[in-house]
């Protein structure tokens, strides 16, 4: 290994850029090379599902170009460059035919969208939106069109449904679950969000799936498993994300649901770290901004001064459905207790309480959403 080799960060999403910024707060000069498969634009991914509400085109969501980031962070940046392998023994990244040496390597390469294999010849009109380039392509395809079918009623599907309706687009949502955001919201809160979205004009087709997508000339015709047929101009597939683990696993790094790291963000191989959507941190796969920011702060310290462990506090998630403001802090997966629900129309306060009465999680909607901060103080942090 070459001790003069740079710190190499793979990925210029919020994780990669947050880490580079945190490093530069403490150390202006250590050589850093960033490598990204995309155009290297800095942008806030959560804004992708509020673009219509805020009237923003893709270019208006971009906060800084790759060139501006190079200048601001004093680093080298290789855009449109895909990492194809890691050679941990040689301390080298494989970029196709080329090799790039590192002193420390940070994997911040995010999660892939899950793609369903659905019969039919309408796939050109099916979009997944997981980065600014996807969003740009979708906005371009939507010009002059008015109907979008969304596959998936999770957080992202619901946010896009609200946002597109705010942009006066006709929206159908198709999902196999019987409620919105299963696994994230308790039923009463999910019903409140559904009520809000239906009030805006969103049509839900739950407990069924899309079986066939046919090109219908101008748009697509969807055939659902329940026999229904829907016509639409475009389809958004929002059926989930999967941390990118394949290249890490092929290089011998331990992976489970994500790339396994401890609280110091260390993988199972020396000098290789991971954070953000690709990482499973101390058993937690949390595909949100607050956890990756906490990781970036801790990892920057580890890389430039002393080994530092991340400490996750209580991290509520805001669901960006302005038709029914919602905040949720799910209880730990193995927690035992019950939901106590106080509901009045779209105003729902659901508290997950242990047998001894301790609040371990909550979901609040409508008028109760403003209680988010106070409730967050009651819920124990993820890491004590
Ligand atoms: P990414 O942003 O996916 O970045 C991955 C980077 O790695 C990219 O630069 C990519 O090009 C690069 N890359 C991948 N593979 C390779 C390779 N082989 N070689 C080179 N480069 C590679 N979270 C919240 O907390 N609140 C919200 O309101 C919220 N809203 C969201 C709305 C939407 C529509 C979406 C999709 C997500 C939302 N999230 C939200 C989640 C949050 O945005 C993500 O957790 C976060 O942006 C992930 O950042 P990341 O840097 O880890 O990954």
């Amino acid at each position: 290994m070459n001790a003069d080799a740079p710190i190499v960060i793979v990925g210029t999403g919020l994780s990669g850029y947050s880490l580079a910024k945190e490093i530069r707060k403490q150390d202006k000069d250590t050589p850093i090379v960033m490598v990204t498969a995309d155009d290297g634009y800095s942008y806030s991914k959560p804004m992708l599902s509020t673009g219509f509400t805020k009237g923003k085109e893709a270019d208006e969501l971009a906060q800084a170009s790759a060139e501006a980031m190079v200048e601001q962070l004093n680093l080298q940046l290789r855009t449109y460059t895909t990492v194809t392998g890691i050679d941990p023994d040689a301390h080298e990244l494989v970029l196709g035919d080329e090799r790039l040496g590192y002193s420390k390597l940070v994997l911040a390469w995010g999660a892939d969208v899950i793609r369903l294999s659905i019969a039919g010849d309408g796939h050109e009109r099916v979009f997944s939106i997981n980065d600014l380039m996807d969003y740009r392509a979708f906005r371009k395809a939507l010009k002059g069109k008015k109907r979008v079918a969304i596959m998936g009623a999770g957080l992202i599907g619901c946010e896009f449904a609200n946002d597109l309706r705010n942009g006066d687009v006709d929206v159908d949502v198709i999902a196999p679950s019987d409620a919105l955001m299963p696994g994230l919201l308790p039923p009463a809160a999910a019903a409140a969000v559904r009520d809000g979205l239906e009030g805006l004009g969103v049509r839900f087709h739950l407990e069924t799936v899309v079986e066939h997508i046919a090109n219908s000339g101008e748009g697509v015709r969807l055939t659902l498993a329940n026999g229904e047929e829907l016509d639409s101009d475009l389809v958004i597939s929002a059926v989930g994300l999967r941390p990118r683990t394949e290249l890490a696993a092929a290089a011998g790094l331990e992976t489970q649901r994500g790339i396994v790291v401890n609280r110091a963000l260390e993988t199972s191989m020396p000098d290789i770290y991971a954070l953000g959507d690709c990482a499973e941190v101390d058993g937690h796969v949390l595909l949100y901004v607050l956890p990756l920011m906490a990781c970036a702060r801790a990892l920057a310290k580890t890389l430039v001064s002393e080994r530092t462990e991340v400490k996750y506090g209580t991290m509520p998630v805001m669901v960006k459905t302005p038709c029914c403001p919602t905040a949720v802090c799910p209880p730990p997966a193995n927690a035992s207790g019950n939901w106590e629900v106080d509901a009045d129309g779209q105003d729902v306060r659901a508290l997950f309480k242990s047998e001894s009465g301790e609040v371990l999680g909550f979901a609040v909607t409508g008028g109760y959403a403003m209680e988010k901060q106070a409730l967050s103080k009651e819920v124990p942090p993820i890491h004590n």
Side-chain angles (χ1 to χ4, degrees), residues 200-221:
L200 273 187
V202 175
R203 294 180 292 264
F204 285 96
H205 311 263
L206 300 183
E207 297 183 84
T208 189
V209 291
V210 177
E211 277 193 340
H212 193 268
I213 305 178
N215 184 339
S216 62
E218 282 293 280
V220 283
R221 170 158 291 194

Side-chain angles (χ1 to χ4, degrees), residues 10-17 35-40 43-50 81-84 95 108-112 129-131 155-156 159-160 241 244 247 275-278 286-292 316-320:
V10 185
T12 53
L14 283 169
S15 309
Y17 276 142
V35 179
T36 181
D38 62 32
D39 57 15
Y43 70 102
S44 171
K45 193 182 284 197
M47 303 283 281
L48 299 183
S49 49
T50 58
T81 304
T82 300
V83 172
T84 52
L95 313 171
W109 59 32
D112 258 329
I129 307 177
N130 188 34
D131 62 36
L155 178 131
I156 300 209
E159 290 190 353
F160 277 124
L241 291 165
R244 294 190 173 105
L247 290 177
L275 82 164
D277 279 7
C278 65
L286 298 171
L287 308 188
Y288 301 110
V289 176
L290 283 179
L292 72 82
V317 177
M318 296 297 297
V319 183
K320 301 190 295 299

Side-chain angles (χ1 to χ4, degrees), residues 263-277:
R263 282 174 56 178
L265 293 320
E266 295 159 333
T267 67
S268 59
M269 292 279 184
D271 299 324
I272 306 182
Y273 305 81
L275 82 164
D277 279 7

